[in-house]
Amino acid sequence: MKTSNAKAFWLFVGPFLAGLAIFAYLPIGWSLLLSFFDAHNTVTPTEFVGIDNYLDMLSDGAFLQSMGTFTLFALFIVPLTFVLSLALALLVNQISFARTFFRSVFFLPTACSYVVASLIWKLSIFNGLRYGLANTVLSWFGIEPIAWTVSTDPPWYWLVLVTLRLWLQLGFYMILFIAGLQRIPQHLYEAAWIDGAKPGWQTLRHITLPQLRATSVSVVLLTLIAAYQAFDEFYNVLGSADGYPPFARPPLVYLYYTALGSGGQDFGHGSAGAVILALLIALVTLLQGRLFGFRRGE
Amino acid sequence: MIGHVHRPAGYRRAPMTSALRYLALAVAAALFLVPFYLVLRNGLATEAEIAAPDWKFFPDTIHWENFAELFSDPSVPLLASMGNSVLVSVLQTVGQLLLCGLAGYGLARIPYKHAGKVFYAIVATLMIPAAVTFVPSFVVVSSLGWLSDLRGLVIPGLFSGFTAFLFRQYFLAFPKELEEAARIDGLGHWGTFWRIVVPNSGNFIAALAVISFIGSWNAFLWPLVIAQDQSSWTVQVALSSFLTAQNLNVHQLFLAAAVSILPLVIVFVTLQRFLVRGVAETGIKG
């Protein structure tokens, strides 16, 4: 019976584990190896360079700048997503008429890709021309057109990138908050009402928000990790046939141009960069596990 | 659902508050719909109407001929890339659910002395998102000779530690009595899984399928890196190259975007129930 269980276990888990070995462990192992070699345009390098690639990356202003870009992006996108998706969830959850309609409208952008959203934002809303939507609205107030995606002073492109991501992801996090709100026991509100708490700010602060703690932690971490991996909208909004501007390169965009850019494939530095990024994100995940326990589906 | 419990009398809010709430929702909903409106407006207009000095709310006549123009242009591989996207998304969704579902069930239900170690080996991969390691994954796939190849687009995405983890959690909570009855009837693990567990897990599987399909359809970085020949482009790569190269007219670009969203809007409208469940299910992990 024991051997038959072992056989059955490998029948179920074996194919998955084999794939994971090839497409998860092997890349990580290989990149560790490559990161210690001079690997220009080759994946089987021979010239061992020790930790030079790492030293290069950590002293490379552009790499550090990409971490700064991510940090700035996260500082905008994480709190805004949190507050706005919570607000939408509270509003949708408190109405009785047309609730499904509003929920669907806010959730609909989930069906769009970052590429499609980039197209709309770059060519129609913020195209920088007089007939773009944003500039048309500004012109009603007598304001001159703004070159949204190419202006660095002030850096209007942040407005473009942040609103784009908000539109795409608010509905997703709103659904998470609604699910969290519906798990709050109703009797808490009744008890608070009997105790004289006014519905509104008081119950929000003393019942709703504390009861949403687990969901809130999830939302913050998910938005943070997603911001860390930002690539699609940066590449499509700011990139052009002439390449990518020197500013606003988040880590994955930077890595993309280092490892696979037109200047030739540099897998040594690209791998060292990937290892550093992977270590940083693993650290965040571990800290999260430490701080909040290994949470399972609630 | 909150609606089941009667709130204490007097708890009801003033009609003013309620009106303000609807006003806020209506404004937000209008803003959320603006981008969809722009896709339709620009896709069905002429270049002159799009660039008119005064904002044209909608083209005077709807230019349906834009469709014919888009699909008959041989330099725009939109249909071919849509075909690639359908193939990649369907294969990836089915394959991922199959492999991860089997693994999740094995981990949850088959007693085996090394099961714990295997579980931790899988959970460990959750710490590093696949996107962060796209460079080394590219190296592996190109060494296999899978660049610009369906295999390179589909296969590396099948082995999702997260999906396997979700399946395991779900199967742990699956009613044991059903399986025990099946075992008494002489079914092994394999038979129990296919005849009892899968048919009774339709909602959960559908929820994950919708999420996985949307993720595949909208994926960009991996197809961008792998699909280097135009013949292997997915629809997102095609749109992106039209966008960054700016070699198309604006109305063509927007019509192509509209066409690329259509399959997902259909999925969204018909399967929203599963989608909402899928989001609540997958998002909760954190």
Side-chain angles (χ1 to χ4, degrees), chain A residues 252-277:
Chain A
L252 291 197
V253 173
Y254 171 77
L255 216 53
Y256 175 80
Y257 284 103
T258 303
L260 304 167
S262 48
Q265 300 180 328
D266 179 355
F267 293 123
H269 286 101
S271 298
V275 171
I276 295 169
L277 293 181

Side-chain angles (χ1 to χ4, degrees), chain A residues 10 25 97 113 167 190 236, chain B residues 5 22 32 42 112 121 236 240:
Chain A
W10 288 113
Y25 298 130
F97 171 72
S113 69
W167 180 68
E190 287 160 7
N236 284 299
Chain B
V5 183
Y22 275 103
F32 268 72
N42 295 346
Y112 174 56
Q236 307 300 336
S240 168

Side-chain angles (χ1 to χ4, degrees), chain A residues 174-205:
Chain A
M174 173 198 71
I175 296 287
L176 290 193
F177 273 126
I178 290 177
L181 285 170
Q182 297 190 339
R183 281 193 300 265
I184 302 179
Q186 191 59 28
H187 66 80
L188 291 179
Y189 291 100
E190 287 160 7
W193 182 79
I194 290 164
D195 289 344
K198 292 200 189 75
W201 177 244
Q202 281 189 341
T203 51
L204 178 71
R205 201 179 142 211

Side-chain angles (χ1 to χ4, degrees), chain A residues 202-246:
Chain A
Q202 281 189 341
T203 51
L204 178 71
R205 201 179 142 211
H206 295 290
I207 298 173
T208 312
L209 289 182
Q211 288 285 319
L212 282 179
R213 202 182 107 91
T215 312
S216 305
V217 171
S218 278
V219 169
V220 168
L221 286 162
L222 286 172
T223 47
L224 187 68
I225 289 172
Y228 191 69
Q229 300 172 63
F231 177 86
D232 300 8
E233 75 267 50
F234 283 82
Y235 178 91
N236 284 299
V237 168
L238 299 179
S240 70
D242 310 326
Y244 195 91

Side-chain angles (χ1 to χ4, degrees), chain A residues 27 44 70 185 187 199 202 206 250 273 285 296:
Chain A
T44 49
F70 152 69
H187 66 80
Q202 281 189 341
H206 295 290
T285 318
R296 298 173 174 197

Side-chain angles (χ1 to χ4, degrees), chain A residues 108-127 149 160-169 232-234 236-238, chain B residues 32 34-36 38-39 218 220 236 239-240 243 253-254 257-258 260-261:
Chain A
L108 192 57
T110 313
C112 282
S113 69
Y114 275 94
V115 181
V116 167
S118 302
L119 198 146
I120 304 168
W121 258 245
K122 184 181 189 174
L123 295 186
S124 196
I125 303 181
F126 293 110
N127 66 7
T149 55
V160 179
L161 296 165
V162 169
T163 51
L164 187 159
R165 185 168 277 240
L166 285 175
W167 180 68
L168 277 180
Q169 73 178 14
D232 300 8
E233 75 267 50
F234 283 82
N236 284 299
V237 168
L238 299 179
Chain B
F32 268 72
V34 163
F36 292 107
L38 289 172
V39 169
N218 286 340
F220 177 62
Q236 307 300 336
L239 281 177
S240 168
L243 172 64
L253 263 168
F254 278 90
S260 82
I261 305 176

